[in-house]
Amino acid sequence: MRWKAPRTGRRRGLVAAATAAVGAVALALGTASAVTGVTAASASEHTAAPAALGGNWYGAAPYVMPFDNSPPDLGPVMSATGQKSFQLAFILAPNGGGCSPTWDGTHAVSSDTQAKSMIDGIRAAGGDVTVSAGGYGGTKLGQTCGDPSSTAAAYQQVISKYALKAIDFDLEEPEYENATAIHNEIGAAKILQQNNPGLYVSVTTAGTTGGEGTGWFGKQLLAEAKSQGFTPANYAIMPFDGGFNGSAAQISALEGFHSTLMNTFGWSSATAYAHEGVSLMNGRSDTGEYFRQADFQAVLNYATSHGLSRFTFWSVNRDRQCSPPDNNGQTSGTCSSVTQGAWDFTRFTAAFGGAPASPPPTDPPPGACTAPAWNATSVYTGGMEVTYSKHTYKAKWWTQGETPGTADVWSDEGPCT
């Protein structure tokens, strides 16, 4: 997921303006482009995690790159916005190969002091972190480790090193096109969840503008999780870099993904919302889409009103105004390319994290099963309803012999009695 500067862009190698913009951003904001403040030497004494934050905060942790894209001083960010949690990115396999965790493929976790200093500083200020594994590009541990157990052992080094209470698996191109790698990553996530009681595990994958919220590989990822009996705190899609046009398209994708979660896992509407999340991109995306403060507000309203459990964005490194504000129509890793105040977008995750955790919408009691029972030999066309396994299903298009609940052609309309 997201920017990999200085090697590549967040998705498609767009970092040309990132380095040039750093000086202008620092001058415009008076913000040092080094990790200072909360990462001062005195913070190094705080080596253990504090009491875990509420799950809402781990679901509200915006992404930060601690090594690239001019990482900001997070002390002023926390003070200005009330944000308590951050998601540090990304854990990868070494660029030269092997089954040991590194930051961005280049900084070994075993010898790291820089990311640890940032983590200690956040905790000293009363916050906490989650760490994200994967992202777009780079070699993932699931690709180089031989099986779920060895993949989990590599990630356990990260959890132990930083006393983590939360971890994110960012599974997208090109890794999620590799069935073996996804099997290893999902299997590792399940092992970590079992071996670290209370660990908050989230999964992030690509979003699409289609009616299902994610594409074929995203649905295969969900199917793999189902086959392994793994249920994370939530699955989040990234509704950007795919022809999205503001918040309306993003909300439409989230509704489609909600249906996909219900159909894949057999969840009720309320349960699916409670296991759904969204990961946004602030300002100008890699493909030239624009997501401004009003778009974030609209998606935040949707997330809170529907009981979603994750609302995050890429990235705090970009949550500051460029100079000039539109960055000459270019996407940057260090500023948003839209007019904004410092940390405007982080205020939305702070609102989500600090909001009282409201229960998800309650499913109405099931009504009577009035549709005819599904018959494997019958032909059904779009709009026709059947009853199967005490659920009502509606056909999206022509079908015959495809079992409801296991085929995309059927939309689960909910339980019935």
PDB file of all heavy atoms in Angstrom, residues 94-118:
ATOM      1  N   PRO A  94      13.922  -8.830   3.518  1.00  0.00           N
ATOM      2  CA  PRO A  94      15.108  -8.103   3.047  1.00  0.00           C
ATOM      3  C   PRO A  94      15.150  -8.036   1.525  1.00  0.00           C
ATOM      4  O   PRO A  94      14.746  -8.990   0.844  1.00  0.00           O
ATOM      5  CB  PRO A  94      16.280  -8.933   3.597  1.00  0.00           C
ATOM      6  CG  PRO A  94      15.696  -9.739   4.712  1.00  0.00           C
ATOM      7  CD  PRO A  94      14.274 -10.003   4.330  1.00  0.00           C
ATOM      8  N   ASN A  95      15.623  -6.926   1.003  1.00  0.00           N
ATOM      9  CA  ASN A  95      15.711  -6.785  -0.450  1.00  0.00           C
ATOM     10  C   ASN A  95      16.538  -7.898  -1.086  1.00  0.00           C
ATOM     11  O   ASN A  95      16.302  -8.292  -2.226  1.00  0.00           O
ATOM     12  CB  ASN A  95      16.304  -5.424  -0.809  1.00  0.00           C
ATOM     13  CG  ASN A  95      15.303  -4.300  -0.649  1.00  0.00           C
ATOM     14  OD1 ASN A  95      14.106  -4.537  -0.478  1.00  0.00           O
ATOM     15  ND2 ASN A  95      15.777  -3.062  -0.683  1.00  0.00           N
ATOM     16  N   GLY A  96      17.504  -8.405  -0.373  1.00  0.00           N
ATOM     17  CA  GLY A  96      18.339  -9.466  -0.923  1.00  0.00           C
ATOM     18  C   GLY A  96      17.792 -10.857  -0.710  1.00  0.00           C
ATOM     19  O   GLY A  96      18.434 -11.843  -1.072  1.00  0.00           O
ATOM     20  N   GLY A  97      16.581 -10.939  -0.116  1.00  0.00           N
ATOM     21  CA  GLY A  97      15.975 -12.233   0.137  1.00  0.00           C
ATOM     22  C   GLY A  97      16.164 -12.673   1.576  1.00  0.00           C
ATOM     23  O   GLY A  97      17.000 -12.140   2.307  1.00  0.00           O
ATOM     24  N   GLY A  98      15.361 -13.640   1.982  1.00  0.00           N
ATOM     25  CA  GLY A  98      15.455 -14.167   3.336  1.00  0.00           C
ATOM     26  C   GLY A  98      14.158 -14.007   4.095  1.00  0.00           C
ATOM     27  O   GLY A  98      13.247 -13.295   3.670  1.00  0.00           O
ATOM     28  N   CYS A  99      14.088 -14.679   5.229  1.00  0.00           N
ATOM     29  CA  CYS A  99      12.867 -14.713   6.033  1.00  0.00           C
ATOM     30  C   CYS A  99      13.093 -14.002   7.360  1.00  0.00           C
ATOM     31  O   CYS A  99      12.895 -14.565   8.430  1.00  0.00           O
ATOM     32  CB  CYS A  99      12.434 -16.162   6.253  1.00  0.00           C
ATOM     33  SG  CYS A  99      10.868 -16.350   7.130  1.00  0.00           S
ATOM     34  N   SER A 100      13.531 -12.754   7.296  1.00  0.00           N
ATOM     35  CA  SER A 100      13.715 -11.950   8.498  1.00  0.00           C
ATOM     36  C   SER A 100      13.088 -10.579   8.253  1.00  0.00           C
ATOM     37  O   SER A 100      13.140 -10.062   7.129  1.00  0.00           O
ATOM     38  CB  SER A 100      15.195 -11.814   8.850  1.00  0.00           C
ATOM     39  OG  SER A 100      15.898 -11.176   7.797  1.00  0.00           O
ATOM     40  N   PRO A 101      12.496  -9.964   9.263  1.00  0.00           N
ATOM     41  CA  PRO A 101      11.764  -8.719   9.050  1.00  0.00           C
ATOM     42  C   PRO A 101      12.669  -7.504   8.935  1.00  0.00           C
ATOM     43  O   PRO A 101      13.664  -7.371   9.660  1.00  0.00           O
ATOM     44  CB  PRO A 101      10.886  -8.627  10.303  1.00  0.00           C
ATOM     45  CG  PRO A 101      11.678  -9.321  11.368  1.00  0.00           C
ATOM     46  CD  PRO A 101      12.387 -10.439  10.660  1.00  0.00           C
ATOM     47  N   THR A 102      12.305  -6.624   8.008  1.00  0.00           N
ATOM     48  CA  THR A 102      13.014  -5.348   7.852  1.00  0.00           C
ATOM     49  C   THR A 102      11.985  -4.245   7.666  1.00  0.00           C
ATOM     50  O   THR A 102      10.823  -4.495   7.347  1.00  0.00           O
ATOM     51  CB  THR A 102      13.934  -5.353   6.614  1.00  0.00           C
ATOM     52  OG1 THR A 102      13.120  -5.328   5.428  1.00  0.00           O
ATOM     53  CG2 THR A 102      14.845  -6.568   6.583  1.00  0.00           C
ATOM     54  N   TRP A 103      12.427  -3.028   7.864  1.00  0.00           N
ATOM     55  CA  TRP A 103      11.646  -1.867   7.469  1.00  0.00           C
ATOM     56  C   TRP A 103      11.996  -1.545   6.026  1.00  0.00           C
ATOM     57  O   TRP A 103      13.159  -1.300   5.692  1.00  0.00           O
ATOM     58  CB  TRP A 103      11.969  -0.663   8.359  1.00  0.00           C
ATOM     59  CG  TRP A 103      11.457  -0.786   9.768  1.00  0.00           C
ATOM     60  CD1 TRP A 103      12.176  -1.140  10.881  1.00  0.00           C
ATOM     61  CD2 TRP A 103      10.117  -0.547  10.210  1.00  0.00           C
ATOM     62  NE1 TRP A 103      11.374  -1.143  11.978  1.00  0.00           N
ATOM     63  CE2 TRP A 103      10.095  -0.781  11.606  1.00  0.00           C
ATOM     64  CE3 TRP A 103       8.943  -0.175   9.567  1.00  0.00           C
ATOM     65  CZ2 TRP A 103       8.940  -0.647  12.370  1.00  0.00           C
ATOM     66  CZ3 TRP A 103       7.786  -0.035  10.318  1.00  0.00           C
ATOM     67  CH2 TRP A 103       7.784  -0.270  11.696  1.00  0.00           C
ATOM     68  N   ASP A 104      10.991  -1.572   5.159  1.00  0.00           N
ATOM     69  CA  ASP A 104      11.149  -1.192   3.749  1.00  0.00           C
ATOM     70  C   ASP A 104      12.176  -2.029   3.001  1.00  0.00           C
ATOM     71  O   ASP A 104      12.686  -1.619   1.961  1.00  0.00           O
ATOM     72  CB  ASP A 104      11.515   0.291   3.621  1.00  0.00           C
ATOM     73  CG  ASP A 104      10.454   1.202   4.206  1.00  0.00           C
ATOM     74  OD1 ASP A 104       9.267   0.852   4.142  1.00  0.00           O
ATOM     75  OD2 ASP A 104      10.813   2.271   4.738  1.00  0.00           O
ATOM     76  N   GLY A 105      12.501  -3.213   3.533  1.00  0.00           N
ATOM     77  CA  GLY A 105      13.453  -4.083   2.858  1.00  0.00           C
ATOM     78  C   GLY A 105      14.896  -3.729   3.099  1.00  0.00           C
ATOM     79  O   GLY A 105      15.790  -4.426   2.615  1.00  0.00           O
ATOM     80  N   THR A 106      15.145  -2.654   3.852  1.00  0.00           N
ATOM     81  CA  THR A 106      16.519  -2.159   3.979  1.00  0.00           C
ATOM     82  C   THR A 106      17.006  -2.003   5.415  1.00  0.00           C
ATOM     83  O   THR A 106      18.214  -2.019   5.649  1.00  0.00           O
ATOM     84  CB  THR A 106      16.661  -0.789   3.284  1.00  0.00           C
ATOM     85  OG1 THR A 106      15.709   0.121   3.846  1.00  0.00           O
ATOM     86  CG2 THR A 106      16.409  -0.918   1.783  1.00  0.00           C
ATOM     87  N   HIS A 107      16.109  -1.839   6.384  1.00  0.00           N
ATOM     88  CA  HIS A 107      16.512  -1.599   7.776  1.00  0.00           C
ATOM     89  C   HIS A 107      16.095  -2.801   8.617  1.00  0.00           C
ATOM     90  O   HIS A 107      14.901  -3.010   8.856  1.00  0.00           O
ATOM     91  CB  HIS A 107      15.860  -0.334   8.337  1.00  0.00           C
ATOM     92  CG  HIS A 107      16.087   0.890   7.499  1.00  0.00           C
ATOM     93  ND1 HIS A 107      17.214   1.670   7.605  1.00  0.00           N
ATOM     94  CD2 HIS A 107      15.318   1.461   6.536  1.00  0.00           C
ATOM     95  CE1 HIS A 107      17.130   2.675   6.745  1.00  0.00           C
ATOM     96  NE2 HIS A 107      15.992   2.563   6.085  1.00  0.00           N
ATOM     97  N   ALA A 108      17.047  -3.597   9.065  1.00  0.00           N
ATOM     98  CA  ALA A 108      16.731  -4.798   9.832  1.00  0.00           C
ATOM     99  C   ALA A 108      16.034  -4.423  11.136  1.00  0.00           C
ATOM    100  O   ALA A 108      16.494  -3.539  11.866  1.00  0.00           O
ATOM    101  CB  ALA A 108      17.992  -5.589  10.125  1.00  0.00           C
ATOM    102  N   VAL A 109      14.942  -5.110  11.424  1.00  0.00           N
ATOM    103  CA  VAL A 109      14.235  -4.874  12.679  1.00  0.00           C
ATOM    104  C   VAL A 109      15.126  -5.194  13.868  1.00  0.00           C
ATOM    105  O   VAL A 109      15.108  -4.494  14.892  1.00  0.00           O
ATOM    106  CB  VAL A 109      12.930  -5.699  12.724  1.00  0.00           C
ATOM    107  CG1 VAL A 109      12.347  -5.757  14.133  1.00  0.00           C
ATOM    108  CG2 VAL A 109      11.906  -5.137  11.746  1.00  0.00           C
ATOM    109  N   SER A 110      15.929  -6.232  13.750  1.00  0.00           N
ATOM    110  CA  SER A 110      16.755  -6.678  14.876  1.00  0.00           C
ATOM    111  C   SER A 110      17.706  -5.598  15.380  1.00  0.00           C
ATOM    112  O   SER A 110      18.015  -5.547  16.581  1.00  0.00           O
ATOM    113  CB  SER A 110      17.550  -7.919  14.471  1.00  0.00           C
ATOM    114  OG  SER A 110      18.400  -7.636  13.369  1.00  0.00           O
ATOM    115  N   SER A 111      18.181  -4.738  14.501  1.00  0.00           N
ATOM    116  CA  SER A 111      19.138  -3.706  14.902  1.00  0.00           C
ATOM    117  C   SER A 111      18.552  -2.296  14.862  1.00  0.00           C
ATOM    118  O   SER A 111      19.269  -1.311  15.050  1.00  0.00           O
ATOM    119  CB  SER A 111      20.378  -3.756  13.996  1.00  0.00           C
ATOM    120  OG  SER A 111      20.013  -3.585  12.630  1.00  0.00           O
ATOM    121  N   ASP A 112      17.254  -2.187  14.643  1.00  0.00           N
ATOM    122  CA  ASP A 112      16.623  -0.871  14.495  1.00  0.00           C
ATOM    123  C   ASP A 112      16.643  -0.058  15.780  1.00  0.00           C
ATOM    124  O   ASP A 112      16.396  -0.579  16.866  1.00  0.00           O
ATOM    125  CB  ASP A 112      15.167  -1.037  14.056  1.00  0.00           C
ATOM    126  CG  ASP A 112      14.369   0.248  14.238  1.00  0.00           C
ATOM    127  OD1 ASP A 112      14.694   1.237  13.550  1.00  0.00           O
ATOM    128  OD2 ASP A 112      13.466   0.275  15.094  1.00  0.00           O
ATOM    129  N   THR A 113      16.933   1.214  15.646  1.00  0.00           N
ATOM    130  CA  THR A 113      16.776   2.169  16.749  1.00  0.00           C
ATOM    131  C   THR A 113      15.876   3.334  16.346  1.00  0.00           C
ATOM    132  O   THR A 113      15.266   3.963  17.207  1.00  0.00           O
ATOM    133  CB  THR A 113      18.144   2.719  17.194  1.00  0.00           C
ATOM    134  OG1 THR A 113      18.794   3.358  16.081  1.00  0.00           O
ATOM    135  CG2 THR A 113      19.032   1.606  17.756  1.00  0.00           C
ATOM    136  N   GLN A 114      15.783   3.616  15.050  1.00  0.00           N
ATOM    137  CA  GLN A 114      15.043   4.794  14.593  1.00  0.00           C
ATOM    138  C   GLN A 114      13.537   4.636  14.764  1.00  0.00           C
ATOM    139  O   GLN A 114      12.870   5.502  15.335  1.00  0.00           O
ATOM    140  CB  GLN A 114      15.373   5.093  13.133  1.00  0.00           C
ATOM    141  CG  GLN A 114      14.730   6.389  12.606  1.00  0.00           C
ATOM    142  CD  GLN A 114      15.292   6.807  11.266  1.00  0.00           C
ATOM    143  OE1 GLN A 114      16.493   6.623  11.008  1.00  0.00           O
ATOM    144  NE2 GLN A 114      14.469   7.382  10.414  1.00  0.00           N
ATOM    145  N   ALA A 115      12.985   3.537  14.254  1.00  0.00           N
ATOM    146  CA  ALA A 115      11.553   3.317  14.427  1.00  0.00           C
ATOM    147  C   ALA A 115      11.225   3.139  15.907  1.00  0.00           C
ATOM    148  O   ALA A 115      10.192   3.617  16.390  1.00  0.00           O
ATOM    149  CB  ALA A 115      11.096   2.102  13.631  1.00  0.00           C
ATOM    150  N   LYS A 116      12.092   2.453  16.631  1.00  0.00           N
ATOM    151  CA  LYS A 116      11.862   2.242  18.054  1.00  0.00           C
ATOM    152  C   LYS A 116      11.821   3.563  18.806  1.00  0.00           C
ATOM    153  O   LYS A 116      11.000   3.755  19.723  1.00  0.00           O
ATOM    154  CB  LYS A 116      12.937   1.344  18.646  1.00  0.00           C
ATOM    155  CG  LYS A 116      12.685   0.999  20.113  1.00  0.00           C
ATOM    156  CD  LYS A 116      13.744   0.063  20.642  1.00  0.00           C
ATOM    157  CE  LYS A 116      13.416  -0.336  22.086  1.00  0.00           C
ATOM    158  NZ  LYS A 116      13.364   0.834  22.978  1.00  0.00           N
ATOM    159  N   SER A 117      12.686   4.497  18.427  1.00  0.00           N
ATOM    160  CA  SER A 117      12.671   5.805  19.066  1.00  0.00           C
ATOM    161  C   SER A 117      11.347   6.522  18.828  1.00  0.00           C
ATOM    162  O   SER A 117      10.783   7.148  19.736  1.00  0.00           O
ATOM    163  CB  SER A 117      13.832   6.657  18.540  1.00  0.00           C
ATOM    164  OG  SER A 117      13.846   7.931  19.145  1.00  0.00           O
ATOM    165  N   MET A 118      10.835   6.415  17.599  1.00  0.00           N
ATOM    166  CA  MET A 118       9.541   7.019  17.303  1.00  0.00           C
ATOM    167  C   MET A 118       8.438   6.372  18.133  1.00  0.00           C
ATOM    168  O   MET A 118       7.577   7.062  18.693  1.00  0.00           O
ATOM    169  CB  MET A 118       9.230   6.897  15.811  1.00  0.00           C
ATOM    170  CG  MET A 118       7.861   7.454  15.420  1.00  0.00           C
ATOM    171  SD  MET A 118       7.512   7.294  13.636  1.00  0.00           S
ATOM    172  CE  MET A 118       8.381   8.729  13.009  1.00  0.00           C
TER     173      MET A 118
END
